[in-house]
Amino acid sequence: MRVPLLILCCATALTACSSPPDPGPVFDNENGTELTCLRHQPQPPGPRYTDESMRSTGETLSLLRYYTAHGRKPFCDSQKPTDTDKQWAQLYVTLGADRANVTTLLS
C-alpha cells in the first residue's frame, strides 16, 4: 500500500515542478526606431505568437506596427527574405493585417 502512495506523491511533485512550454523568441522590432531598411529576424515565431492562449497584446501589436510601418522596405544587407522572415510576414497576414505591407517579403 505504501508503494502506490509513494508513486502518487512523486508524480504530483514532478507535475508541480514542471515549467510551462517555452514561448519562443520575441519579435525584434529594432526598438521601434525609424528605419530605412530591415534586419532579418534571427528565429521563427514560436507559441508566444502562434498559440492564442500565449499571445501578449503588446508583443503582437509591436509586430503589427513594425510591418505596417516598415514591411515594404528592403533588407539592409540587400538580400532576399529568409524562410524565417517569410514566417513572420505570414504571421502578420494571419493576424489580419494588410498583405500589401509585406508582399515583397512573401514573394
Side-chain angles (χ1 to χ4, degrees), residues 55 87 89-97:
R55 277 191 197 141
Q87 289 176 42
Q90 182 57 55
L91 175 61
Y92 172 81
V93 173
T94 300
L95 291 170

Side-chain angles (χ1 to χ4, degrees), residues 28-107:
D28 180 6
N29 71 354
E30 302 185 53
N31 296 319
T33 59
E34 188 55 40
L35 307 173
T36 57
C37 58
L38 304 177
R39 286 190 299 174
H40 297 281
Q41 292 297 315
Q43 296 178 303
R48 165 187 321 273
Y49 297 95
T50 59
D51 181 343
E52 288 184 37
S53 68
M54 296 182 80
R55 277 191 197 141
S56 157
T57 302
E59 290 171 347
T60 302
L61 287 175
S62 177
L63 163 75
L64 294 170
R65 203 171 17 248
Y66 178 86
Y67 281 128
T68 299
H70 307 295
R72 297 175 190 231
K73 295 177 181 174
F75 284 97
C76 299
D77 64 3
S78 301
Q79 298 297 309
K80 293 183 178 185
T82 65
D83 287 341
T84 298
D85 296 318
K86 290 178 182 185
Q87 289 176 42
W88 283 106
Q90 182 57 55
L91 175 61
Y92 172 81
V93 173
T94 300
L95 291 170
D98 187 356
R99 183 182 182 87
N101 291 326
V102 293
T103 298
T104 57
L105 298 176
L106 293 172
S107 57

